[in-house]
């Protein structure tokens, strides 16, 4: 179902009109529509078992997520990292340079290739650290290539091996996307004739192979016999697999029934702009979003890093980095202290409590979340499923905690 939300939610008060005007001027209500595509994308990866392959640290992780004997990363995830870093990114760099060369106007256009799901997930997580991603692309491929490779025309899309390319019962948009997907497979096949476009999730997860060889970014080796070290896992100091592990749980936090509500998402856009404007009030403070805000924030970054940076400058006068490394919810820890400071700053600035019904921390995911069948459960029963999950931070559920991401003014985001 396609929706188009272009007006602020009902009940917007007069003191919100400047925020509403900013949203309209920057066309930010589009983020409410994109947020729906975003969560649908996450759900498709989950129900196909893709994101579950990257969940290494959770105490609820089932035993079927096997790991390498010398690493906490399983073979599927390691191979995905190799495919993303050594195959997909160079392919994009080559394709974009060819596109520029064939463009008579010399203008920059977005990449429209749609990746396989394992690559799509890592590309998604890498772009969620926009400062790190941009720096890595510039360092590796040069500033000219980086301007184009930063973006994708289809931000929330992946293609799966079980999809039927010959299905004729599709609309024009689906037909066009099928063509784009086929193009990606053909380009991949021509560039890497010995490398399958799709990685078998089941085979990868249950493989007893020794650790995968991860060498320099220029290598295209597929050997599985060399020990993986931490240095080979980092992308210029950014641990992408750890980020993918952390991001796996994000779907749980944004699967409450409110996240499919039009007014809730539109209100989230307004709250998000207020969140960005707090950087004008306290530029050096770490600001922690609610999950209502965080979904819109993630969506904004992923839709276009370049446009995100431009919008942040327009709203707050600065680029705002996204940091998902604050994972410890211990009382008195950095995340907890930062959230309490955010609540006080919000109340002082806007005269209201920093709280969102149905958009706060839901607790750690329950055991059944780590099975792909969880996706078949109705969203409205999410709170019931919470009871079977971890109770380590039960005191924070509902009111007392926000997201595990925060703003950062440092390049380490």
């Amino acid at each position: 179902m396609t929706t188009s939300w272009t007006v602020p939610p009902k009940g917007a008060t007069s003191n919100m009109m400047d925020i509403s005007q900013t949203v309209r001027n920057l066309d930010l209500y589009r983020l409410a529509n994109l947020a729906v595509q975003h969560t649908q994308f996450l759900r498709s990866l989950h129900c196909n078992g893709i994101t579950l392959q990257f969940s290494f640290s959770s105490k609820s992780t089932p035993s079927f997520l096997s790991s390498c004997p010398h690493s906490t990363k399983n073979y599927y995830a390691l191979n995905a990292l190799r495919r993303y870093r050594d195959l997909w990114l160079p392919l994009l760099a080559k394709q974009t340079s060819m596109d520029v060369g064939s463009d008579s106007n010399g203008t920059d256009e977005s990449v429209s290739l749609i990746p396989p799901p394992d690559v799509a997930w890592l590309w998604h997580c890498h772009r969620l650290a926009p400062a790190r991603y941009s720096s890595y692309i510039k360092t590796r491929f040069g500033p000219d290539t980086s301007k184009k490779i930063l973006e994708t025309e289809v931000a929330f899309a992946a293609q799966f091996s079980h999809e039927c390319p010959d299905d004729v019962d599709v609309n024009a948009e689906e037909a066009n996307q099928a063509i784009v997907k086929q193009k990606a497979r053909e380009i991949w096949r021509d560039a890497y004739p010995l490398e399958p476009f799709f990685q078998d999730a089941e085979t990868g997860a249950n493989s007893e192979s020794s650790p995968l060889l991860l060498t320099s970014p220029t290598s295209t080796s597929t050997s599985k016999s060399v020990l993986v070290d931490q240095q080979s896992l980092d992308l210029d100091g950014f641990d992408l697999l750890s980020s993918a592990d952390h991001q796996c749980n994000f779907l749980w936090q944004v699967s409450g029934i409110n996240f499919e509500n039009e007014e809730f998402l539109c209100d989230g856009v307004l709250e998000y702009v207020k969140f960005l404007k707090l950087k004008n009030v306290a530029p050096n403070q770490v600001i922690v979003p609610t999950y209502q805000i965080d979904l819109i924030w993630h969506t904004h970054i992923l839709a276009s890093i370049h446009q995100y940076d431009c919008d942040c400058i327009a709203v707050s006068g600065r680029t705002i980095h996204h940091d998902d490394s604050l994972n410890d919810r211990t009382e008195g820890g950095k995340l907890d202290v930062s959230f309490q400071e955010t609540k006080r700053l919000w109340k002082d600035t806007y005269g209201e409590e920093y709280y969102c019904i149905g958009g706060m921390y839901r607790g750690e995911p329950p055991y059944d979340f780590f099975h792909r069948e969880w996706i078949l459960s109705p969203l409205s029963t999410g709170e019931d499923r919470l009871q079977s999950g971890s109770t380590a931070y039960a005191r924070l559920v509902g009111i007392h905690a926000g997201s595990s991401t925060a703003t950062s003014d440092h390049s380490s985001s």
Side-chain angles (χ1 to χ4, degrees), residues 35-90:
V36 175
Q37 298 177 30
H38 185 176
T39 54
Q40 289 173 344
F41 169 75
L42 296 178
R43 290 170 68 81
S44 69
L45 292 178
H46 188 100
C47 72
N48 281 279
I50 304 302
T51 50
L52 299 178
Q53 304 288 354
F54 295 84
S55 182
F56 318 115
S57 60
S58 174
K59 295 179 180 179
S60 301
T61 304
S63 60
F64 71 81
L65 294 179
S66 60
S67 61
C68 295
H70 300 288
S71 171
T72 59
K73 324 298 186 189
N74 64 49
Y75 170 73
Y76 180 90
L78 291 171
N79 196 34
L81 178 60
R82 177 189 65 85
R83 284 158 51 84
Y84 169 70
R85 189 194 67 183
D86 299 348
L87 304 180
W88 181 253
L89 289 181

Side-chain angles (χ1 to χ4, degrees), residues 70-361:
H70 300 288
S71 171
T72 59
K73 324 298 186 189
N74 64 49
Y75 170 73
Y76 180 90
L78 291 171
N79 196 34
L81 178 60
R82 177 189 65 85
R83 284 158 51 84
Y84 169 70
R85 189 194 67 183
D86 299 348
L87 304 180
W88 181 253
L89 289 181
L91 193 67
L92 288 180
K94 179 180 179 180
Q95 185 65 27
T96 53
S97 64
M98 292 173 59
D99 290 345
V100 170
S102 62
D103 186 355
S104 60
N105 296 323
T107 57
D108 288 328
E109 297 179 354
S110 298
V111 178
S112 59
L113 301 183
I114 298 178
D118 59 327
V119 171
W121 176 235
L122 290 184
W123 197 16
H124 176 100
C125 295
H126 201 183
R127 286 182 289 125
L128 272 177
R132 287 285 199 178
Y133 179 76
S134 299
S135 175
Y136 177 78
I137 296 301
K138 289 179 180 179
T139 299
R140 183 172 174 189
F141 299 107
D144 293 338
T145 303
S146 70
K147 188 175 181 181
K148 283 198 55 156
I149 202 174
L150 283 173
E151 311 298 352
T152 171
E153 283 186 358
V154 191
F156 306 110
Q159 49 181 314
F160 301 90
S161 58
H162 58 74
E163 292 176 326
C164 178
D166 299 322
D167 188 357
V168 296
D169 187 21
V170 296
N171 58 37
E173 181 179 350
E174 292 171 335
N176 180 67
Q177 192 168 104
I179 294 173
V180 173
K181 290 179 178 180
Q182 182 178 354
K183 177 183 178 182
R185 295 194 299 271
E186 291 173 351
I187 292 175
W188 178 287
R189 185 182 63 242
D190 291 343
Y192 312 116
L194 300 181
E195 180 81 22
F197 184 77
F198 296 105
Q199 180 181 190
D200 190 317
E202 294 298 332
T203 302
N206 296 317
S207 173
E208 296 182 357
S209 303
S210 56
L212 180 73
L213 170 64
L214 287 176
T215 58
S216 67
T218 58
S219 171
T220 57
S221 171
T222 58
S223 170
K224 304 175 185 177
S225 61
V226 179
L227 181 65
V228 172
D229 58 38
Q230 186 61 41
Q231 185 176 3
S232 67
L233 297 178
D234 290 343
L235 278 65
D236 283 357
F238 180 66
D239 189 342
L240 180 56
L241 291 185
S242 291
S243 178
D245 176 13
H246 175 60
Q247 289 298 331
C248 175
N249 294 347
F250 184 74
L251 175 61
W252 163 253
Q253 300 295 346
V254 297
S255 287
I257 191 64
N258 281 355
F259 285 92
E260 288 198 339
N261 180 274
E262 172 182 339
E263 185 172 330
F264 180 84
L265 293 176
C266 283
D267 186 59
V269 174
L270 293 171
E271 297 296 287
Y272 171 60
V273 172
K274 292 162 66 177
F275 172 81
L276 295 180
K277 281 181 174 292
L278 283 184
K279 272 298 182 180
N280 290 327
V281 180
N284 297 320
Q285 181 169 318
V286 175
I287 304 174
V288 180
T290 65
Y291 275 103
Q292 180 195 40
I293 292 172
D294 208 18
L295 174 61
I296 303 300
W297 192 11
H298 283 206
T299 301
H300 197 187
I301 294 170
L302 292 164
S304 168
I305 292 176
H306 173 70
Q307 190 61 52
Y308 166 74
D309 286 341
C310 291
D311 290 342
C312 283
I313 292 173
V315 173
S316 63
R318 69 194 72 236
T319 297
I320 299 177
H321 300 309
H322 178 268
D323 182 4
D324 69 352
S325 65
L326 300 181
N327 305 321
D328 183 4
R329 293 186 179 276
T330 302
E331 188 173 3
K334 184 176 181 179
L335 179 59
D336 177 55
V337 170
S338 296
F339 182 68
Q340 299 307 320
E341 291 175 347
T342 301
K343 289 172 64 177
R344 286 192 290 271
L345 179 62
W346 190 279
K347 181 65 177 294
D348 291 343
T349 304
Y350 299 118
E352 60 188 28
E353 298 297 330
Y354 189 49
Y355 169 62
C356 171
I357 298 175
M360 306 299 287
Y361 174 63

